[in-house]
Amino acid sequence: MTTTQTTATPATQKLGIATTLALIFLLFSGLIFSAEDVVQGSTVRIMYVHVPSIWVAYLAFALTAICSAVYLSNRSRSLIWDRFAGAAAEIGVLFVAVSLVTGSLWGRLTWGTFWVWDARLTSTAFLFITYVGYLAVRRLGGTFRQRARRSAVMALLAVLEIPLVHFSVNLWRTLHQKASIADPNAKVKLDGFMLFTLFWGLISFTMLFVWLLIHRQRLMALEDAVQDQGLDLAIQQRRTEAGR
Amino acid sequence: MTSRMQTARRVSVAVARKDLRIEWNSKVLLNQVAPFSLVIMIMFAFALDNEGILQRVAPGLLWLATLFSMLVIVQRSFAVETADGALDALRVAGTEPVGIFIGKSLALMVQLFALELMLLAIALVLYTVEPTAMGYAETFATMAVATIGLGFVGTLYGGLGAGARGRETLLPLLLLPAVAPVLIGATRATEAAFGSGGAQSSEGWPWIGLLAVFAGVFGAVGALAFGPMIEE
């Protein structure tokens, strides 16, 4: 096989270019154009990465759950749902990690410590570990259908597990600042351009997510095809050996 | 529908009896898991070399030792099923998956509860814990409710990928985050029961409520999910 296969199509190429431009604009907007915070100074700029990454992670895990549910409920059991679920979880794990790292750096600057055992941080760490476990389940081996079934069940269990962990950790302790934009009584007010930059971050990170997701899903399809082909080749070889 | 439920009940009793009989004959719990948990309790004392601290953190150590030992029991519980394709045989025979789930959970609960009683005795002796009569009642209530939850969730995650290579090393990663609520709830309730750090015994009951919610949720979901999970 010498054919060169790519996971890009004209549509994803355009999406990739748009994403890159959006991220470049976010870079300028976040680092240069937007104002410093009155209290936090320049450290507030971490927010433009921190908040969009956790948003993407939530989006990704929600998609994993939906695709897994569709896989299990759909009579045809199309593997494309499984691949989308897996691709979304991989990207989600990556972005939770980004969010945890940027969050602890931000915490170091504003709270004076990398980590506090507060409810939201602890449940986010659990979210990370749970989906690392999910990715490990995907690598258990077996047939594609076995992988799809196991990981779909695991994804749905994770959906159940996360609220329980969150609830119990919440009872355990709470210190993290409440969501400050959604709360009308919050003391923290973002000025217009900071808010714009934050939303721009959300949009461009979402574009990045979609772009990565499509490519990863196609790559997984190719990986599966290679694995199938490897099996066919091996059977072919054994047959020719037997024929000799 | 009622006949299906009756079948499931019969299956669950049979599976639980089978698991417990295997355990009774092999004595793995007595000869391996119980000494292992004793070692954990002693090692904790080495790591936290101070009687005051040990007394204060005894509830957490008790439940950590339970969870670590549970990993071994769950692995054993499904190694028995997959070794000679026993689970496949049950599946091919059209056995109610709910029955298998409940049965294996019950057997796991019985073993866990026995282990917890032993760990409690060890904590009383080694960590100089002195609960009141009310404290004992609360401790046993905590153990009962926590064990039900642990039995369900352990069976559920134990069955995930049963038979796949590399599953043994994966189980702790999957199971420990899932049982974190039990560790939190049971430890707080036991702290109240032991009066650790000046906790009042009445503070424990809401945590027992949390444990009950956990047990209910995982019991219901396990009954639903176990069938699709083992059918491969």
Side-chain angles (χ1 to χ4, degrees):
Chain A
M1 288 290 279
T2 48
T3 49
T4 320
Q5 273 184 302
T6 164
T7 53
T9 57
T12 53
Q13 274 168 353
K14 286 193 190 88
L15 179 62
I17 292 167
T19 306
T20 313
L21 292 176
L23 286 173
I24 290 172
F25 181 74
L26 177 67
L27 203 66
F28 279 100
S29 178
L31 288 180
I32 300 165
F33 303 150
S34 70
E36 289 188 352
D37 185 67
V38 188
V39 187
Q40 302 189 9
S42 260
T43 56
V44 77
R45 300 182 197 281
I46 297 176
M47 175 177 74
Y48 305 129
V49 177
H50 179 70
V51 177
S53 3
I54 196 68
W55 153 251
V56 167
Y58 285 148
L59 189 68
F61 295 147
L63 193 65
T64 301
I66 293 168
C67 290
S68 302
V70 171
Y71 174 80
L72 282 181
S73 62
N74 209 330
R75 209 167 268 268
S76 66
R77 297 270 157 109
S78 166
L79 280 175
I80 192 168
W81 295 109
D82 169 61
R83 287 196 290 263
F84 265 115
E90 272 184 18
I91 302 167
V93 165
L94 173 73
F95 278 95
V96 175
V98 169
S99 184
L100 283 171
V101 169
T102 53
S104 66
L105 292 176
W106 197 4
R108 173 76 186 159
L109 292 169
T110 53
W111 300 334
T113 162
F114 284 114
W115 188 261
V116 284
W117 289 103
D118 119 279
R120 193 142 27 136
L121 266 73
T122 314
S123 358
T124 308
F126 268 103
L127 189 72
F128 177 69
I129 296 166
T130 306
Y131 279 91
V132 168
Y134 169 85
L135 293 181
V137 168
R138 294 189 68 84
R139 298 191 173 276
L140 268 180
T143 63
F144 299 143
R145 303 241 162 245
Q146 282 177 330
R147 176 192 71 190
R149 179 191 302 279
R150 276 178 201 145
S151 52
V153 171
M154 175 64 201
L156 295 183
L157 285 182
V159 171
L160 179 78
E161 184 187 311
I162 287 157
L164 274 173
V165 168
H166 184 80
F167 179 65
S168 51
V169 170
N170 221 355
L171 286 177
W172 181 49
R173 60 191 44 170
T174 301
L175 187 135
H176 196 285
Q177 67 175 33
K178 297 280 181 293
S180 30
I181 301 173
D183 181 3
N185 301 320
K187 290 199 186 88
V188 184
K189 281 273 186 274
L190 292 174
D191 85 3
F193 195 76
M194 289 167 84
L195 201 58
F196 167 77
T197 309
L198 186 59
F199 279 117
W200 188 262
L202 292 178
I203 292 166
S204 45
F205 269 57
T206 308
M207 286 163 71
L208 178 65
F209 167 66
V210 174
W211 186 59
L212 287 173
L213 179 74
I214 294 171
H215 276 288
R216 186 68 188 103
Q217 191 280 130
R218 288 177 183 163
L219 191 62
M220 276 183 175
L222 289 179
E223 281 170 359
D224 289 358
V226 165
Q227 207 174 318
D228 269 347
Q229 213 169 46
L231 187 66
D232 286 347
L233 270 176
I235 291 171
Q236 198 70 44
Q237 279 172 353
R238 292 298 91 78
R239 284 214 177 112
T240 47
E241 270 174 23
R244 257 188 315 175
Chain B
M1 196 62 205
T2 44
S3 73
R4 253 190 83 185
M5 276 176 70
Q6 276 170 351
T7 323
R9 203 170 63 203
R10 281 217 316 275
V11 168
S12 65
V13 171
V15 169
R17 281 170 62 109
K18 166 199 74 100
D19 268 18
L20 291 174
R21 184 169 300 147
I22 291 174
E23 173 45 41
W24 188 255
N25 292 335
S26 65
K27 302 268 191 307
V28 169
L29 184 71
L30 192 69
N31 294 334
Q32 294 175 15
V33 184
F36 169 62
S37 58
L38 174 65
V39 170
I40 298 178
M41 295 293 267
I42 295 175
M43 296 302 249
F44 280 147
F46 291 161
L48 310 167
D49 182 18
N50 179 311
E51 271 191 31
I53 292 181
L54 272 180
Q55 202 173 11
R56 170 72 187 82
V57 298
L61 300 184
L62 178 73
W63 286 103
L64 268 182
T66 307
L67 294 186
F68 290 151
S69 313
M70 174 188 169
L71 291 174
V72 184
I73 306 179
V74 170
Q75 263 162 17
R76 161 94 184 138
S77 161
F78 279 91
V80 164
E81 291 303 337
T82 52
D84 302 313
L87 198 60
D88 291 326
L90 280 178
R91 208 158 52 213
V92 173
T95 320
E96 272 304 320
V98 182
I100 305 178
F101 173 71
I102 307 272
K104 292 203 75 71
S105 304
L106 280 175
L108 182 59
M109 288 170 200
V110 171
Q111 298 179 54
L112 273 176
F113 197 75
L115 194 75
E116 284 161 17
L117 288 179
M118 190 199 82
L119 286 172
L120 175 65
I122 295 174
L124 293 178
V125 176
L126 294 186
Y127 300 166
T128 50
V129 180
E130 285 157 355
T132 58
M134 184 62 190
Y136 274 113
E138 201 171 11
T139 309
F140 289 130
T142 308
M143 282 183 171
V145 183
T147 305
I148 295 173
L150 288 178
F152 284 139
V153 77
T155 307
L156 193 52
Y157 279 88
L160 189 71
R165 272 175 298 129
R167 190 189 65 85
E168 293 79 9
T169 40
L170 182 55
L171 184 68
L173 172 61
L174 300 182
L175 191 52
L176 288 179
V179 296
V182 175
L183 180 64
I184 294 175
T187 304
R188 292 293 95 75
T190 315
E191 271 173 1
F194 288 2
S196 320
Q200 298 298 310
S201 102
S202 61
E203 290 169 22
W205 297 104
W207 292 107
I208 297 178
L210 173 72
L211 293 172
V213 170
F214 185 91
V217 168
F218 273 101
V221 170
L224 285 174
F226 197 74
M229 205 172 68
I230 58 168
E231 155 210 334
E232 274 179 6

